[in-house]
Amino acid sequence: SAVISQKPSRDICQRGTSLTIQCQVDSQVTMMFWYRQQPGQSLTLIATANQGSEATYESGFVIDKFPISRPNLTFSTLTVSNMSPEDSSIYLCSGGDEKLFFGSGTQLSVL
Amino acid sequence: KQEVTQIPAALSVPEGENLVLNCSFTDSAIYNLQWFRQDPGKGLTSLLLIQSSQREQTSGRLNASLDKSSGRSTLYIAASQPGDSATYLCAPRTLNDYKLSFGAGTTVTVRA
């Protein structure tokens, strides 16, 4: 199994600023994903983080707003750029091979 | 695009009752299916993983079945306890891109 550490666990940010969320896996994994969970809703996939190449974004999500890095097989970052109150959500990192594991999430509030 | 439906949306039972949570999905070309548990404000905990070739998987009081051809999975929780109160999420993983798709979940409350 894999243990995924995500930080920060929560943050309160001002409109127009950016926040970078870090995701560290305790072992090398093939696949890493970033999800968003808006209040009271289920998880929506933002993008697949590809090691050594650009992330693959889902419909409705763009690189300028959610730049993602994945420099190696154990680490990824998601940046939420130029934030607005609509970006207030829980952001979750997932990683694994056959089984996928999740971090504890980052609860973001934008004022 | 994979669509996942979970029924019921919410369930409230007295302690000791058995729970039955249903999940249906539209694309049967899946790699596997995971059931997760989510506590309020927390991340997801993986409960069970069923491979596409399997019919069921068991872990303790939990049993999950899979009927891939009809696009259905069911999670059974035996002898429920108040600590089982959480939202349960079904997530099939599609074969072509290995992405998980999520339903809206079933929120379970077990009353002491």
Side-chain angles (χ1 to χ4, degrees):
Chain A
S1 66
V3 176
I4 298 182
S5 302
Q6 194 174 330
K7 60 180 181 181
S9 58
R10 60 177 62 235
D11 207 339
I12 301 172
C13 301
Q14 295 296 321
R15 179 194 300 260
T17 62
S18 298
L19 175 72
T20 295
I21 303 168
Q22 297 182 3
C23 178
Q24 178 74 55
V25 190
D26 69 344
S27 59
Q28 293 186 344
V29 293
T30 306
M31 310 201 78
M32 293 185 76
F33 303 94
W34 287 96
Y35 288 84
R36 180 174 74 182
Q37 187 175 30
Q38 295 181 301
Q41 300 194 20
S42 192
L43 281 77
T44 301
L45 180 63
I46 297 171
T48 303
N50 301 309
Q51 193 262 329
S53 65
E54 196 171 281
T56 305
Y57 290 85
E58 297 299 302
S59 176
F61 297 96
V62 295
I63 187 171
D64 290 346
K65 176 67 176 177
F66 298 102
I68 288 171
S69 77
R70 190 177 174 193
N72 56 51
L73 293 176
T74 65
F75 186 77
S76 179
T77 66
L78 167 75
T79 299
V80 185
S81 302
N82 188 26
M83 288 184 285
S84 67
E86 291 71 37
D87 295 320
S88 297
S89 290
I90 298 175
Y91 292 85
L92 293 140
C93 167
S94 171
D97 297 301
E98 193 157 8
K99 181 185 282 191
L100 291 182
F101 299 90
F102 281 78
S104 55
T106 296
Q107 187 148 4
L108 172 61
S109 297
V110 183
L111 305 179
Chain B
K1 183 189 171 187
Q2 181 76 277
E3 301 288 340
V4 183
T5 303
Q6 290 189 244
I7 294 173
L11 193 56
S12 178
V13 299
E15 183 175 5
E17 272 202 15
N18 297 330
L19 298 169
V20 180
L21 283 59
N22 297 296
C23 169
S24 61
F25 47 94
T26 54
D27 185 354
S28 62
I30 63 169
Y31 176 61
N32 59 34
L33 185 145
Q34 282 185 255
W35 280 92
F36 293 91
R37 167 188 173 136
Q38 185 175 33
D39 293 286
K42 306 291 186 182
L44 276 64
T45 301
S46 181
L47 297 173
L48 288 167
L49 178 146
I50 312 178
Q51 300 291 354
S52 62
S53 58
Q54 294 179 308
R55 298 285 293 184
E56 66 178 282
Q57 189 69 247
T58 298
S59 176
R61 294 185 294 111
L62 306 180
N63 174 276
S65 67
L66 174 65
D67 183 343
K68 191 179 74 167
S69 61
S70 65
R72 294 181 184 177
S73 179
T74 302
L75 179 67
Y76 303 90
I77 303 176
S80 60
Q81 304 168 359
D84 295 328
S85 298
T87 296
Y88 292 82
L89 296 163
C90 164
R93 196 169 179 192
T94 46
L95 197 53
N96 62 345
D97 57 18
Y98 301 103
K99 297 176 187 175
L100 285 176
S101 298
F102 286 88
T106 295
T107 299
V108 171
T109 303
V110 181
R111 309 185 303 271

